[in-house]
Amino acid sequence: MTVPDHSVYGVLGRNGAGKTTTMKMLTGLLRPSSGVARVCGVDVVKDRRGAARKIGALLEAHGFYGHLSGRENLDLTRRLLGLATTEVDRVLDVVDMTRDGGRRVGDYSLGMRQRLGIARALLGSPPVLMLDEPTNGLDPDGIADMRHFLRELPIRAGATVLLSSHLLGEIEQTATHVGVIHQGRLVVEGELARLKAELAPEIGLRVDDPARARAVLRSRDLTLSDDADGLVAQLRPGDNHDQVCAALNRDLVAAGVAVFSIGARAPSLEGVYRAASAVSRRPVSEPV
Amino acid sequence: MLTVLSVEVRKLNRSLALVLAATAPALIAVFVFSMLLRSKTPSEWDMWIGSGMAIWAYFMMPLCVAALTALVAHMEHGPRSWDHLRALPVPRWTLYAAKAVCVIALVLIMSAAVLGATIGAVALGGLIKPEAAAMGVLDLTGYAWSMARMAAAALLMIAIQFWTAIRFASFVPGLALGIGGTFFAVVATSARQGVFMPWQMPVNILATEAWRVQTALTLGGGLGLVVLAAAVLHLARREGR
């Protein structure tokens, strides 16, 4: 796994795929069974404290003391990191929480705790931010705010962001680069735009009888899958979208299938993920 | 280490551990105060202070150590903050050592508070009921010395309770051990082997036999330090929390 400087790198994978384990290994909380992990060139096993100085982390559990205020909580970490007192005000300002800093954390909403967690990760302006499931438990407004905030983080904080999530939409809207982990192995990684561009073109269909439509499409030797909107047919490289759409429409109507909609689909992260899942079914030699 | 220690002290601000540290000595003082008000004849200072110290050594101190270690540990277990702390660029052993030092300091402060509050209660009781006022000499240095030795003898018990409280995220093992230890220490008072029980060590300091005091200081204090060091090392090397 290689995370480029000043990128927002989304680590994707199902629950239990190994996202949190990867984060824990990088933060020195778990010892890797084999392999090497470096953060800004520092080996996380050989020099845990050196690597930890490069990282600001928002882990699965917030770990805030509910009886203390947000400012007091940040101040504890600031002291442990040996930073100037002004750092607390700076990071509270970055996450727009200056006004609420004096309130007890026990009275904070989940969204405020997440923001405070990011503020704590930003203490000392570490070059790398690791955020494990940062939108977990947030309401829709909170998720939208957090996505906007995460997109801006490389500019606001000048940091590289490593973000883990099992939500495709979250990664698609925030990440510039992605890595897909499956059963503890990295199966695909790269710049999101490039990965999307490399995808085989797809056609999305909505029909009244998916089973019959599937039989018709199979006879044309197309790779099929389902998604929330209906059927997805993967084209072969060089296929012309419009001509294939027209031909499929003709075939389906001739077979008595009512076609509600048919058209080319924009390449999505879901497509990247599906392709990665197909790759993950093949044996991969190198662990993450 | 000093920075980590100062952070630990700040965490205690407005915490339940501090409430306990203030309440437990006050309860002993209230008990001694009410005993004095019920008394019809005057007694020696030694009797009143001795009563307070005995209650502290037998019940209150072991139970307070169990509760205190559980509360201090739960401060991290509750919000699951171990991961955050252990991911910071500070030596991990200092996180646990600072916590242990905090607990020991709180026990010392509570011991001093027990003495101070008991003297205050006896003095106040004497003012309200002069016919029962304490008489004789108030050997403050002697009592303080006994309290300090009692706290030193309690090190083994503190180390065992601390280790258990930090090791297990649930407060049940720590509290069960503390309550069980206190109970068996009281039951075992009559048995010769009972004096070697960690929870019995503070009581040994009050004994008239010199060997029991010596045992308490050597086993309770000396072995306590070794167990505490082992606990800190073990906890720092563990993966996970």
Side-chain angles (χ1 to χ4, degrees):
Chain A
M1 178 184 279
T2 308
V3 182
D5 264 353
H6 296 99
S7 63
V8 178
Y9 187 107
V11 184
L12 265 175
R14 293 175 183 192
N15 290 328
K19 305 182 295 291
T20 299
T21 303
T22 305
M23 294 271 190
K24 284 192 168 181
M25 284 191 291
L26 291 170
T27 47
L29 293 171
L30 287 177
R31 203 176 289 271
S33 50
S34 63
V36 178
R38 290 192 196 90
V39 178
C40 300
V42 183
D43 191 305
V44 298
V45 176
K46 287 180 184 155
D47 185 7
R48 178 191 75 79
R49 286 166 61 196
R53 277 190 206 99
K54 309 277 183 196
I55 300 170
L58 169 72
L59 301 167
E60 227 175 353
H62 299 116
F64 287 121
Y65 307 104
H67 64 287
L68 300 179
S69 71
R71 188 179 291 276
E72 285 171 324
N73 268 281
L74 292 180
D75 193 58
L76 296 179
T77 305
R78 177 197 68 77
R79 284 171 185 276
L80 291 173
L81 294 173
L83 303 169
T85 46
T86 50
E87 263 299 283
V88 172
D89 292 323
R90 184 187 72 79
V91 295
L92 279 173
D93 184 47
V94 173
V95 297
D96 299 327
M97 279 193 63
T98 305
R99 261 186 356 171
D100 298 301
R103 283 173 55 195
R104 276 178 71 244
V105 169
D107 298 332
Y108 279 10
S109 68
L110 203 53
M112 289 167 80
R113 285 180 199 215
Q114 290 286 58
R115 276 176 177 264
L116 192 67
I118 291 176
R120 187 170 61 185
L122 290 171
L123 281 168
S125 305
V128 178
L129 286 175
M130 290 189 191
L131 312 176
D132 194 7
E133 307 274 4
T135 58
N136 250 6
L138 297 185
D139 59 27
D141 285 345
I143 291 175
D145 280 356
M146 186 58 77
R147 280 178 183 163
H148 176 73
F149 180 73
L150 291 176
R151 271 196 301 269
E152 287 190 343
L153 257 182
I155 304 156
R156 285 174 94 154
T160 302
V161 181
L162 184 63
L163 173 74
S164 93
S165 178
H166 61 278
L167 302 174
L168 291 171
E170 182 176 312
I171 298 285
E172 182 150 34
Q173 291 180 48
T174 49
T176 56
H177 293 69
V178 291
V180 179
I181 295 182
H182 184 74
Q183 293 183 344
R185 290 174 188 282
L186 181 73
V187 287
V188 159
E189 79 165 343
E191 196 179 346
L192 182 56
R194 185 178 60 77
L195 290 173
K196 280 182 180 178
E198 283 173 0
L199 276 181
E202 291 175 342
I203 285 177
L205 297 115
R206 275 182 56 238
V207 294
D208 68 336
D209 188 348
R212 198 130 52 108
R214 208 171 272 126
V216 173
L217 297 172
R218 272 208 197 95
S219 67
R220 282 189 153 267
D221 200 22
L222 292 169
T223 310
L224 295 173
S225 57
D226 293 295
D227 76 354
D229 297 328
L231 291 172
V232 178
Q234 221 162 56
L235 305 189
R236 289 171 294 256
D239 279 351
N240 180 300
H241 273 117
D242 294 340
Q243 282 177 7
V244 175
C245 277
L248 285 183
N249 193 32
R250 264 198 311 273
D251 290 357
L252 289 167
V253 171
V257 179
V259 180
F260 304 136
S261 70
I262 185 166
R265 281 166 50 120
S268 64
L269 180 58
E270 194 177 337
V272 174
Y273 187 73
R274 268 204 309 272
S277 299
V279 170
S280 70
R281 282 191 275 274
R282 294 183 220 135
V284 181
S285 56
E286 283 300 307
V288 175
Chain B
M1 176 66 186
L2 281 178
T3 310
V4 186
L5 195 56
S6 83
V7 165
E8 280 304 320
V9 172
R10 278 162 208 277
K11 279 185 206 168
L12 291 173
N13 196 12
R14 301 193 296 277
S15 69
L16 286 173
L18 268 197
V19 175
L20 174 74
T23 311
L27 285 175
I28 294 176
V30 168
F31 180 74
V32 171
F33 179 71
S34 56
M35 265 174 52
L36 190 140
L37 289 187
R38 284 175 58 193
S39 170
K40 291 186 173 66
T41 52
S43 299
E44 297 277 336
W45 271 104
D46 215 33
M47 198 282 286
W48 295 119
I49 305 298
S51 299
M53 284 168 67
I55 297 167
W56 177 238
Y58 265 102
F59 306 104
M60 278 301 221
M61 191 193 213
L63 290 176
C64 280
V65 167
L68 200 61
T69 47
L71 286 172
V72 167
H74 204 67
M75 218 181 267
E76 314 297 346
H77 291 318
R80 293 164 65 203
S81 50
W82 285 119
D83 276 358
H84 162 68
L85 291 172
R86 290 171 61 92
L88 291 174
V90 291
R92 282 178 181 159
W93 69 267
T94 61
L95 299 171
Y96 300 101
K99 225 168 236 313
V101 170
C102 258
V103 170
I104 294 166
L106 276 174
V107 172
L108 273 171
I109 291 167
M110 285 168 86
S111 300
V114 166
L115 187 57
T118 308
I119 291 171
V122 173
L124 182 66
L127 286 176
I128 295 169
K129 195 175 179 183
E131 65 269 29
M135 54 183 204
V137 184
L138 174 66
D139 179 15
L140 194 57
T141 318
Y143 299 136
W145 179 233
S146 289
M147 277 298 203
R149 289 196 300 173
M150 212 182 273
L155 259 182
L156 181 57
M157 171 178 70
I158 293 171
I160 294 170
Q161 290 283 171
F162 176 79
W163 200 340
T164 312
I166 302 279
R167 167 65 183 79
F168 299 100
S170 164
F171 60 83
V172 175
L175 283 187
L177 184 71
I179 293 167
T182 308
F183 176 75
F184 282 109
V186 173
V187 172
T189 316
S190 51
R192 188 173 164 82
Q193 292 80 3
V195 298
F196 298 106
M197 233 192 134
W199 285 262
Q200 184 72 242
M201 294 300 163
V203 181
N204 285 344
I205 296 293
L206 298 173
T208 46
E209 302 99 313
W211 71 270
R212 279 184 67 179
V213 176
Q214 205 53 48
T215 302
L217 290 173
T218 313
L219 208 61
L223 186 61
L225 274 179
V226 174
V227 174
L228 204 57
V232 167
L233 281 179
H234 166 252
L235 294 166
R237 283 162 181 255
R238 277 183 77 221
E239 280 197 341
R241 52 171 56 85

